[in-house]
Amino acid sequence: PIVSCVKFVYTYHLIIFYFIAGYFYKEEKYGDKPFEYFCNTLKKNWTKYMFWSILIIIFHNFFIQNNFYFNIPKYNCIDDYIVAITNASILKNTELFAGALWFVPTLILASGLFALTIYIARKMSVEVQKRIKNIQNDNIKYIIITMISIIVGTLGVYLNENKTELEYAFHTSLLVLPIYTMAYFYKIFISKIKKIDKWYIWIILLILSTMFLCFMVSNNEVLIELSDEKIINGPMFYIVSIIGICFCISISKIIEKIPVINEDFITIGKHSFSIMALHFACIKGIDVIYSKLINQTNPQIISKWVSSYPQKLWVIYTIVGVMIPTLISITLHKFKNSIKK
Protein backbone atom coordinates (compact mmCIF):
# COMPACT_ATOMS: atom_id res chain seq x y z
CA PRO A 1 0.00 0.00 0.00
CA ILE A 2 2.81 2.45 0.83
CA VAL A 3 4.54 1.80 -2.48
CA SER A 4 1.25 2.43 -4.30
CA CYS A 5 0.77 5.73 -2.45
CA VAL A 6 4.27 6.82 -3.41
CA LYS A 7 3.67 5.93 -7.06
CA PHE A 8 0.32 7.76 -6.94
CA VAL A 9 1.95 10.98 -5.68
CA TYR A 10 4.89 10.66 -8.07
CA THR A 11 2.53 10.75 -11.05
CA TYR A 12 1.91 14.45 -10.55
CA HIS A 13 3.82 15.98 -7.61
CA LEU A 14 6.59 17.74 -9.55
CA ILE A 15 4.38 18.54 -12.52
CA ILE A 16 2.32 20.77 -10.25
CA PHE A 17 5.33 23.01 -9.59
CA TYR A 18 5.77 23.58 -13.33
CA PHE A 19 2.04 24.08 -13.85
CA ILE A 20 1.84 26.67 -11.08
CA ALA A 21 4.88 28.50 -12.46
CA GLY A 22 3.18 28.69 -15.86
CA TYR A 23 -0.11 29.78 -14.33
CA PHE A 24 1.42 32.70 -12.44
CA TYR A 25 3.49 33.92 -15.39
CA LYS A 26 2.43 37.54 -16.11
CA GLU A 27 2.46 38.14 -19.84
CA GLU A 28 1.39 41.77 -19.47
CA LYS A 29 4.57 42.40 -17.45
CA TYR A 30 7.10 40.03 -19.01
CA GLY A 31 5.71 39.34 -22.48
CA ASP A 32 8.43 41.41 -24.13
CA LYS A 33 10.99 40.93 -21.37
CA PRO A 34 11.85 37.21 -21.27
CA PHE A 35 15.36 37.76 -19.90
CA GLU A 36 14.05 39.91 -17.05
CA TYR A 37 11.57 37.17 -16.16
CA PHE A 38 14.32 34.55 -16.25
CA CYS A 39 16.56 36.67 -14.02
CA ASN A 40 13.76 37.26 -11.49
CA THR A 41 12.94 33.55 -11.42
CA LEU A 42 16.62 32.70 -10.98
CA LYS A 43 17.06 35.21 -8.16
CA LYS A 44 13.96 34.10 -6.27
CA ASN A 45 14.72 30.38 -6.47
CA TRP A 46 18.51 30.64 -6.09
CA THR A 47 18.13 32.56 -2.84
CA LYS A 48 15.89 29.93 -1.30
CA TYR A 49 17.98 27.09 -2.72
CA MET A 50 21.16 28.53 -1.22
CA PHE A 51 19.65 29.21 2.19
CA TRP A 52 18.38 25.67 2.72
CA SER A 53 21.45 24.13 1.10
CA ILE A 54 23.82 25.97 3.43
CA LEU A 55 21.71 24.97 6.43
CA ILE A 56 21.87 21.30 5.42
CA ILE A 57 25.61 21.53 4.72
CA ILE A 58 26.25 23.05 8.16
CA PHE A 59 24.56 20.05 9.80
CA HIS A 60 26.34 17.49 7.58
CA ASN A 61 28.55 16.04 10.34
CA PHE A 62 25.72 16.18 12.86
CA PHE A 63 23.61 14.01 10.57
CA ILE A 64 26.43 11.47 10.24
CA GLN A 65 27.13 11.33 13.99
CA ASN A 66 23.47 10.69 14.76
CA ASN A 67 22.88 8.03 12.08
CA PHE A 68 20.81 10.21 9.76
CA TYR A 69 23.42 9.26 7.14
CA PHE A 70 25.37 6.02 6.80
CA ASN A 71 28.57 5.34 4.90
CA ILE A 72 28.98 8.98 3.89
CA PRO A 73 32.31 10.74 4.61
CA LYS A 74 32.48 13.53 7.17
CA TYR A 75 33.67 17.04 6.41
CA ASN A 76 37.08 17.14 8.06
CA CYS A 77 38.06 20.74 7.44
CA ILE A 78 36.72 24.11 6.41
CA ASP A 79 37.72 23.42 2.80
CA ASP A 80 35.16 20.60 2.63
CA TYR A 81 32.42 23.01 3.63
CA ILE A 82 33.62 25.63 1.17
CA VAL A 83 33.56 23.10 -1.68
CA ALA A 84 30.04 21.97 -0.72
CA ILE A 85 28.75 25.55 -0.52
CA THR A 86 30.45 26.44 -3.81
CA ASN A 87 28.72 23.50 -5.50
CA ALA A 88 25.43 24.64 -4.05
CA SER A 89 26.01 28.18 -5.34
CA ILE A 90 25.94 26.84 -8.90
CA LEU A 91 22.83 24.77 -8.12
CA LYS A 92 24.73 21.50 -7.76
CA ASN A 93 24.25 20.64 -4.12
CA THR A 94 25.50 17.11 -3.43
CA GLU A 95 23.98 16.78 0.05
CA LEU A 96 21.69 13.77 0.35
CA PHE A 97 18.99 15.68 2.23
CA ALA A 98 18.97 18.36 -0.47
CA GLY A 99 18.24 15.76 -3.13
CA ALA A 100 14.63 16.87 -3.53
CA LEU A 101 15.86 20.24 -4.78
CA TRP A 102 17.34 18.71 -7.94
CA PHE A 103 14.36 20.04 -9.87
CA VAL A 104 15.01 23.72 -9.03
CA PRO A 105 17.40 24.29 -11.98
CA THR A 106 14.88 22.63 -14.31
CA LEU A 107 12.16 24.97 -13.01
CA ILE A 108 14.34 28.02 -13.58
CA LEU A 109 15.35 26.93 -17.08
CA ALA A 110 11.85 25.84 -18.07
CA SER A 111 10.43 29.17 -16.86
CA GLY A 112 12.98 31.04 -18.95
CA LEU A 113 12.24 28.82 -21.94
CA PHE A 114 8.52 29.48 -21.57
CA ALA A 115 9.06 33.24 -21.34
CA LEU A 116 11.14 33.04 -24.52
CA THR A 117 8.37 31.04 -26.20
CA ILE A 118 5.81 33.73 -25.38
CA TYR A 119 8.18 36.45 -26.59
CA ILE A 120 8.82 34.69 -29.92
CA ALA A 121 5.11 34.01 -30.42
CA ARG A 122 4.23 37.64 -29.75
CA LYS A 123 6.79 38.93 -32.26
CA MET A 124 5.94 36.35 -34.92
CA SER A 125 2.19 36.91 -34.58
CA VAL A 126 2.64 40.62 -35.31
CA GLU A 127 4.58 39.82 -38.48
CA VAL A 128 2.05 37.20 -39.60
CA GLN A 129 -0.87 39.58 -39.04
CA LYS A 130 0.78 42.16 -41.29
CA ARG A 131 0.51 39.62 -44.10
CA ILE A 132 -2.83 38.01 -43.21
CA LYS A 133 -5.29 40.72 -42.22
CA ASN A 134 -8.31 38.57 -41.37
CA ILE A 135 -6.75 36.61 -38.50
CA GLN A 136 -6.78 37.93 -34.94
CA ASN A 137 -3.35 38.53 -33.45
CA ASP A 138 -4.08 36.46 -30.31
CA ASN A 139 -5.15 33.43 -32.33
CA ILE A 140 -1.89 33.51 -34.28
CA LYS A 141 0.06 33.84 -31.05
CA TYR A 142 -1.75 30.88 -29.48
CA ILE A 143 -1.04 28.70 -32.51
CA ILE A 144 2.66 29.60 -32.47
CA ILE A 145 2.94 28.95 -28.71
CA THR A 146 1.29 25.56 -29.20
CA MET A 147 3.56 24.62 -32.10
CA ILE A 148 6.75 25.59 -30.27
CA SER A 149 5.61 23.68 -27.16
CA ILE A 150 4.88 20.54 -29.18
CA ILE A 151 8.26 20.67 -30.94
CA VAL A 152 10.23 21.34 -27.76
CA GLY A 153 8.20 18.81 -25.75
CA THR A 154 8.80 16.16 -28.41
CA LEU A 155 12.54 16.80 -28.18
CA GLY A 156 12.27 16.47 -24.39
CA VAL A 157 10.46 13.15 -24.73
CA TYR A 158 13.12 11.86 -27.12
CA LEU A 159 15.96 12.81 -24.78
CA ASN A 160 14.26 11.32 -21.72
CA GLU A 161 13.28 8.08 -23.43
CA ASN A 162 16.88 7.67 -24.62
CA LYS A 163 18.29 8.55 -21.16
CA THR A 164 20.19 11.50 -22.63
CA GLU A 165 21.06 13.66 -19.65
CA LEU A 166 21.90 17.31 -20.25
CA GLU A 167 23.53 19.74 -17.84
CA TYR A 168 21.17 20.95 -15.10
CA ALA A 169 18.67 18.33 -16.32
CA PHE A 170 17.75 20.62 -19.22
CA HIS A 171 16.19 17.60 -20.92
CA THR A 172 13.52 17.77 -18.21
CA SER A 173 13.00 21.50 -18.82
CA LEU A 174 12.33 20.73 -22.48
CA LEU A 175 9.93 17.95 -21.51
CA VAL A 176 7.80 20.14 -19.24
CA LEU A 177 7.43 23.18 -21.53
CA PRO A 178 4.00 21.90 -22.69
CA ILE A 179 2.95 21.84 -19.00
CA TYR A 180 3.61 25.59 -18.85
CA THR A 181 1.59 26.04 -22.01
CA MET A 182 -1.31 24.06 -20.53
CA ALA A 183 -1.25 26.34 -17.48
CA TYR A 184 -1.12 29.40 -19.74
CA PHE A 185 -4.23 28.34 -21.65
CA TYR A 186 -5.98 27.19 -18.48
CA LYS A 187 -5.51 30.66 -17.02
CA ILE A 188 -6.79 32.36 -20.19
CA PHE A 189 -9.76 30.12 -20.95
CA ILE A 190 -10.82 27.35 -18.57
CA SER A 191 -10.47 29.19 -15.26
CA LYS A 192 -12.78 31.93 -16.56
CA ILE A 193 -15.64 29.57 -17.36
CA LYS A 194 -17.83 30.12 -14.30
CA LYS A 195 -20.31 27.42 -15.35
CA ILE A 196 -17.88 24.65 -14.43
CA ASP A 197 -16.97 26.17 -11.06
CA LYS A 198 -19.54 24.07 -9.18
CA TRP A 199 -18.68 21.91 -6.17
CA TYR A 200 -20.34 18.81 -7.60
CA ILE A 201 -18.41 19.12 -10.87
CA TRP A 202 -15.13 19.22 -8.93
CA ILE A 203 -16.15 16.18 -6.88
CA ILE A 204 -16.94 14.25 -10.07
CA LEU A 205 -13.60 15.33 -11.56
CA LEU A 206 -11.81 14.29 -8.36
CA ILE A 207 -13.41 10.85 -8.41
CA LEU A 208 -12.64 10.28 -12.09
CA SER A 209 -9.04 11.50 -11.84
CA THR A 210 -8.47 9.42 -8.71
CA MET A 211 -9.81 6.32 -10.42
CA PHE A 212 -7.56 6.90 -13.42
CA LEU A 213 -4.43 7.47 -11.33
CA CYS A 214 -5.19 4.44 -9.18
CA PHE A 215 -5.56 2.35 -12.30
CA MET A 216 -2.22 3.64 -13.56
CA VAL A 217 -0.30 2.91 -10.36
CA SER A 218 -1.86 -0.55 -10.14
CA ASN A 219 0.21 -1.35 -13.22
CA ASN A 220 3.66 -2.22 -11.89
CA GLU A 221 5.28 -0.97 -15.07
CA VAL A 222 3.96 2.56 -14.59
CA LEU A 223 6.16 4.94 -12.65
CA ILE A 224 7.01 8.55 -13.36
CA GLU A 225 10.34 9.66 -11.92
CA LEU A 226 11.68 12.71 -13.72
CA SER A 227 15.00 12.63 -11.87
CA ASP A 228 15.68 9.24 -13.48
CA GLU A 229 14.13 10.00 -16.91
CA LYS A 230 11.21 7.63 -16.25
CA ILE A 231 8.22 9.04 -18.14
CA ILE A 232 6.37 5.86 -19.24
CA ASN A 233 6.25 7.13 -22.83
CA GLY A 234 5.67 10.50 -24.48
CA PRO A 235 1.89 10.61 -24.96
CA MET A 236 1.16 8.77 -21.71
CA PHE A 237 3.40 11.13 -19.72
CA TYR A 238 1.32 14.11 -20.78
CA ILE A 239 -1.98 12.27 -20.31
CA VAL A 240 -1.02 11.26 -16.77
CA SER A 241 0.24 14.78 -16.09
CA ILE A 242 -3.06 16.31 -17.22
CA ILE A 243 -5.04 13.89 -15.05
CA GLY A 244 -2.74 14.64 -12.10
CA ILE A 245 -3.26 18.36 -12.62
CA CYS A 246 -7.04 17.82 -12.73
CA PHE A 247 -6.77 15.81 -9.51
CA CYS A 248 -4.93 18.66 -7.75
CA ILE A 249 -7.19 21.40 -9.12
CA SER A 250 -10.32 19.53 -8.08
CA ILE A 251 -8.96 19.01 -4.55
CA SER A 252 -8.05 22.70 -4.29
CA LYS A 253 -11.49 23.77 -5.50
CA ILE A 254 -13.19 21.52 -2.95
CA ILE A 255 -10.92 22.76 -0.14
CA GLU A 256 -11.81 26.35 -1.11
CA LYS A 257 -15.39 25.53 -0.10
CA ILE A 258 -14.25 24.52 3.41
CA PRO A 259 -13.04 27.70 5.18
CA VAL A 260 -11.93 25.81 8.29
CA ILE A 261 -9.03 24.13 6.45
CA ASN A 262 -8.65 26.39 3.41
CA GLU A 263 -6.33 28.88 5.13
CA ASP A 264 -4.17 26.06 6.51
CA PHE A 265 -3.65 24.61 3.05
CA ILE A 266 -2.89 28.05 1.63
CA THR A 267 -0.20 28.45 4.30
CA ILE A 268 1.29 25.05 3.49
CA GLY A 269 1.29 25.92 -0.20
CA LYS A 270 3.16 29.17 0.44
CA HIS A 271 5.93 27.23 2.16
CA SER A 272 6.11 24.32 -0.30
CA PHE A 273 9.73 25.11 -1.22
CA SER A 274 10.76 24.71 2.43
CA ILE A 275 8.85 21.43 2.61
CA MET A 276 10.71 20.12 -0.44
CA ALA A 277 14.03 21.19 1.09
CA LEU A 278 13.55 19.75 4.58
CA HIS A 279 11.16 16.81 4.39
CA PHE A 280 13.94 14.20 3.94
CA ALA A 281 15.72 15.44 7.07
CA CYS A 282 12.44 15.42 9.00
CA ILE A 283 11.70 11.85 7.95
CA LYS A 284 15.13 10.65 9.05
CA GLY A 285 14.72 12.58 12.30
CA ILE A 286 11.61 10.53 13.02
CA ASP A 287 13.58 7.35 12.24
CA VAL A 288 16.34 8.33 14.66
CA ILE A 289 13.89 9.12 17.47
CA TYR A 290 11.85 5.96 16.94
CA SER A 291 15.01 3.83 16.79
CA LYS A 292 16.05 5.15 20.20
CA LEU A 293 12.62 4.33 21.61
CA ILE A 294 12.82 0.70 20.43
CA ASN A 295 16.56 0.38 21.21
CA GLN A 296 17.52 -0.11 17.58
CA THR A 297 21.26 0.59 17.27
CA ASN A 298 22.12 -0.77 13.82
CA PRO A 299 23.12 2.36 11.81
CA GLN A 300 22.31 0.65 8.51
CA ILE A 301 18.70 0.20 9.61
CA ILE A 302 18.37 3.65 11.17
CA SER A 303 19.81 5.48 8.16
CA LYS A 304 18.02 3.42 5.50
CA TRP A 305 17.01 5.68 2.63
CA VAL A 306 14.40 7.19 2.38
CA SER A 307 12.81 5.85 5.56
CA SER A 308 13.44 2.98 7.95
CA TYR A 309 9.90 2.16 9.06
CA PRO A 310 7.53 3.09 6.20
CA GLN A 311 4.84 0.55 7.11
CA LYS A 312 4.63 1.72 10.72
CA LEU A 313 5.32 5.43 10.56
CA TRP A 314 4.12 6.66 7.16
CA VAL A 315 1.37 8.80 8.71
CA ILE A 316 3.87 10.46 11.06
CA TYR A 317 6.32 10.93 8.19
CA THR A 318 3.63 12.74 6.21
CA ILE A 319 2.50 15.01 9.03
CA VAL A 320 5.96 15.85 10.37
CA GLY A 321 7.45 16.15 6.87
CA VAL A 322 4.92 18.88 6.10
CA MET A 323 4.36 20.61 9.43
CA ILE A 324 7.94 20.98 10.72
CA PRO A 325 9.31 22.63 7.54
CA THR A 326 6.23 24.85 7.40
CA LEU A 327 6.65 25.96 11.02
CA ILE A 328 10.38 26.56 10.52
CA SER A 329 9.70 28.59 7.39
CA ILE A 330 6.97 30.66 9.09
CA THR A 331 9.27 31.37 12.06
CA LEU A 332 12.10 32.46 9.76
CA HIS A 333 9.76 34.74 7.79
CA LYS A 334 8.54 36.37 10.99
CA PHE A 335 12.12 36.84 12.17
CA LYS A 336 13.06 38.36 8.81
CA ASN A 337 10.10 40.76 8.93
CA SER A 338 10.90 41.79 12.49
CA ILE A 339 14.46 42.71 11.44
CA LYS A 340 13.16 44.83 8.57
CA LYS A 341 10.97 46.78 10.98
Side-chain angles (χ1 to χ4, degrees):
I2 305 303
V3 173
S4 295
C5 288
V6 171
K7 289 176 68 175
F8 185 93
V9 173
Y10 265 56
T11 59
Y12 63 82
H13 79 301
L14 277 184
I15 294 302
I16 291 301
F17 280 88
Y18 302 115
F19 185 84
I20 291 172
Y23 182 85
F24 284 106
Y25 169 80
K26 296 179 180 178
E27 184 178 358
E28 62 278 8
K29 183 177 181 180
Y30 296 112
D32 295 319
K33 301 175 182 178
F35 185 70
E36 181 180 335
Y37 177 73
F38 171 76
C39 289
N40 288 343
T41 304
L42 174 61
K43 178 182 177 181
K44 180 177 68 174
N45 286 282
W46 184 88
T47 303
K48 292 186 285 187
Y49 182 97
M50 276 302 294
F51 177 81
W52 293 119
S53 293
I54 290 173
L55 185 66
I56 292 171
I57 289 168
I58 289 172
F59 283 94
H60 178 90
N61 284 355
F62 171 85
F63 291 142
I64 293 174
Q65 292 163 2
N66 290 276
N67 294 321
F68 284 69
Y69 293 156
F70 179 75
N71 202 27
I72 290 179
K74 288 183 178 182
Y75 291 159
N76 296 313
C77 61
I78 191 66
D79 288 350
D80 291 336
Y81 288 95
I82 292 174
V83 169
I85 292 173
T86 301
N87 286 333
S89 71
I90 57 173
L91 300 175
K92 291 188 176 183
N93 193 338
T94 57
E95 291 291 317
L96 188 62
F97 284 163
L101 297 181
W102 75 269
F103 82 98
V104 174
T106 73
L107 182 71
I108 295 169
L109 291 172
S111 295
L113 187 61
F114 178 66
L116 181 61
T117 299
I118 299 297
Y119 173 77
I120 292 171
R122 287 166 65 92
K123 295 300 182 183
M124 289 182 65
S125 63
V126 171
E127 294 301 318
V128 171
Q129 192 177 36
K130 289 179 181 178
R131 293 167 173 75
I132 307 176
K133 303 295 183 180
N134 296 327
I135 301 179
Q136 290 186 357
N137 185 47
D138 280 348
N139 291 337
I140 300 171
K141 180 180 68 176
Y142 297 153
I143 292 171
I144 295 172
I145 291 171
T146 302
M147 290 175 62
I148 293 175
S149 297
I150 291 173
I151 293 170
V152 173
T154 301
L155 176 59
V157 168
Y158 174 82
L159 293 173
N160 277 267
E161 288 187 337
N162 288 278
K163 302 292 183 180
T164 305
E165 298 183 4
L166 304 180
E167 196 70 15
Y168 290 108
F170 187 57
H171 53 285
T172 300
S173 300
L174 298 173
L175 177 73
V176 300
L177 180 63
I179 304 299
Y180 280 76
T181 302
M182 293 175 198
Y184 175 81
F185 286 129
Y186 174 80
K187 183 179 181 179
I188 293 174
F189 300 112
I190 306 300
S191 62
K192 295 180 180 179
I193 303 176
K194 300 300 180 182
K195 291 182 180 179
I196 68 170
D197 193 13
K198 306 292 183 182
W199 65 268
Y200 54 86
I201 292 180
W202 295 117
I203 289 178
I204 293 172
L205 184 60
L206 175 62
I207 293 171
L208 292 176
S209 58
T210 302
M211 290 173 61
F212 177 86
L213 293 175
C214 286
F215 171 76
M216 293 302 296
V217 300
S218 66
N219 183 346
N220 292 327
E221 299 299 320
V222 175
L223 175 63
I224 292 177
E225 175 50 271
L226 294 181
S227 64
D228 196 30
E229 294 81 46
K230 293 180 180 178
I231 61 170
I232 313 174
N233 59 60
M236 188 56 68
F237 168 75
Y238 292 112
I239 291 172
V240 172
S241 295
I242 291 170
I243 300 301
I245 290 166
C246 291
F247 173 80
C248 291
I249 292 175
S250 58
I251 286 181
S252 68
K253 292 294 184 179
I254 293 170
I255 290 175
E256 282 180 4
K257 311 295 183 183
I258 311 173
V260 177
I261 62 173
N262 187 40
E263 289 300 320
D264 293 331
F265 276 89
I266 290 175
T267 300
I268 292 171
K270 289 179 179 178
H271 300 279
S272 57
F273 195 103
S274 303
I275 294 170
M276 290 292 285
L278 297 179
H279 72 283
F280 283 153
C282 290
I283 289 172
K284 293 315 299 178
I286 294 299
D287 286 341
V288 170
I289 293 171
Y290 183 73
S291 295
K292 290 184 181 297
L293 293 175
I294 64 173
N295 296 316
Q296 175 58 257
T297 58
N298 187 335
Q300 288 182 289
I301 294 177
I302 300 171
S303 61
K304 183 181 177 182
W305 189 257
V306 169
S307 58
S308 304
Y309 312 101
Q311 301 298 329
K312 294 180 179 179
L313 303 179
W314 68 272
V315 174
I316 298 176
Y317 291 149
T318 303
I319 295 172
V320 172
V322 171
M323 298 310 299
I324 296 300
T326 301
L327 291 173
I328 292 174
S329 184
I330 290 172
T331 302
L332 290 172
H333 274 82
K334 288 183 176 179
F335 177 71
K336 179 182 176 181
N337 292 333
S338 66
I339 292 176
K340 286 183 178 180
K341 293 179 181 179

